[in-house]
Amino acid sequence: MSDILLDIPDQIESRRLIIRSPLPGDGAVVHAGVVATLEQLRAWPASLPWAMFEPSLEASETFCRQSRIDFLARKGLPMLLFLKEGGHFAGACGLHDLDWKHKRAEIGYWCHREWQGQGLIGEAVQTLCDFSQHQLGLRRIACLADEQNLASRRVAERAGFRLEGILRNERIAPDNSLRDTALYARTN
């Protein structure tokens, strides 16, 4: 079966979140979230290189529209996170580098500054991984976190990822510093 024929719902839910594919028009809320969280995002240039660029409404809207295209083409499963209570934008979590033939992908995530420390990203990661492995048949999901980003590493560990090793100087930050990356994987 062709990848594009896979039936994947536009949204899934967890206990506190609506996890859904970006839509045209979501750029404004994503932009506001990025701007509010920029200082925290820029602390991890190797893991979040897109945060090193000056954010713009146009770039955020382009991201949302391209993400929707990628979702529909089944090239990736980028998702936005919204609180069920109040509908506030809480961040993003998605599967990238999808390889349907070998049933594997890479996960990435970030949380809006206002909602950090509440376990929302862990909830989103757990929900998306469970869905992807049980409903879509993915066998391996990798997570690459900056070795020094302990919060991100805890999210991976709590979601059932196992540390496979440290990639030495694999990611080069925009300031030309070398960053080590912790490689985690969740398999079934």
Side-chain angles (χ1 to χ4, degrees):
M1 174 191 323
S2 172
D3 303 341
I4 205 160
L5 295 176
L6 292 169
D7 284 328
I8 301 174
D10 288 342
Q11 79 176 37
I12 57 178
E13 295 186 15
S14 67
R15 185 172 61 83
R16 299 177 290 170
L17 295 167
I18 293 172
I19 303 166
R20 71 162 172 81
S21 171
L23 297 170
D26 282 336
V29 71
V30 171
H31 178 257
V34 168
V35 169
T37 315
L38 200 55
E39 183 179 342
Q40 291 87 354
L41 297 172
R42 286 185 171 167
W44 315 112
S47 302
L48 301 168
W50 56 267
M52 302 305 112
F53 298 98
E54 194 58 37
S56 71
L57 183 57
E58 181 178 333
S60 293
E61 183 62 25
T62 299
F63 162 79
C64 290
R65 289 174 186 236
Q66 185 61 56
S67 293
R68 182 64 180 166
I69 291 167
D70 291 347
F71 181 90
L72 292 171
R74 306 307 189 228
K75 292 180 180 178
L77 298 179
M79 306 296 259
L80 301 180
L81 312 175
F82 295 90
L83 296 177
K84 284 183 176 178
E85 188 174 312
H88 301 286
F89 173 68
C93 178
L95 296 177
H96 314 286
D97 299 324
L98 265 169
D99 180 344
W100 292 108
K101 180 180 178 184
H102 296 102
K103 303 290 187 184
R104 64 181 180 218
E106 182 180 323
I107 196 164
Y109 43 85
W110 68 272
C111 188
H112 189 296
R113 181 180 52 85
E114 279 189 46
W115 310 108
Q116 292 176 359
Q118 298 180 32
L120 294 170
I121 292 299
E123 184 176 320
V125 168
Q126 185 72 47
T127 301
L128 187 57
C129 287
D130 287 349
F131 173 81
S132 298
Q133 290 183 309
H134 297 120
Q135 303 300 317
L136 302 178
L138 293 186
R139 291 191 296 257
R140 176 183 169 84
I141 301 173
C143 177
L144 295 167
D146 187 302
E147 183 184 28
Q148 297 174 20
N149 189 341
L150 300 181
S152 182
R153 294 181 68 178
R154 275 192 301 276
V155 165
E157 291 164 358
R158 289 178 181 157
F161 286 78
R162 301 286 179 251
L163 180 65
E164 291 189 334
I166 303 297
L167 305 175
R168 298 291 176 206
N169 303 322
E170 284 293 313
R171 303 258 177 143
I172 300 176
D175 65 359
N176 289 325
S177 65
L178 296 175
R179 298 290 181 106
D180 293 340
T181 304
L183 171 62
Y184 287 88
R186 178 175 154 161
T187 59
N188 65 349

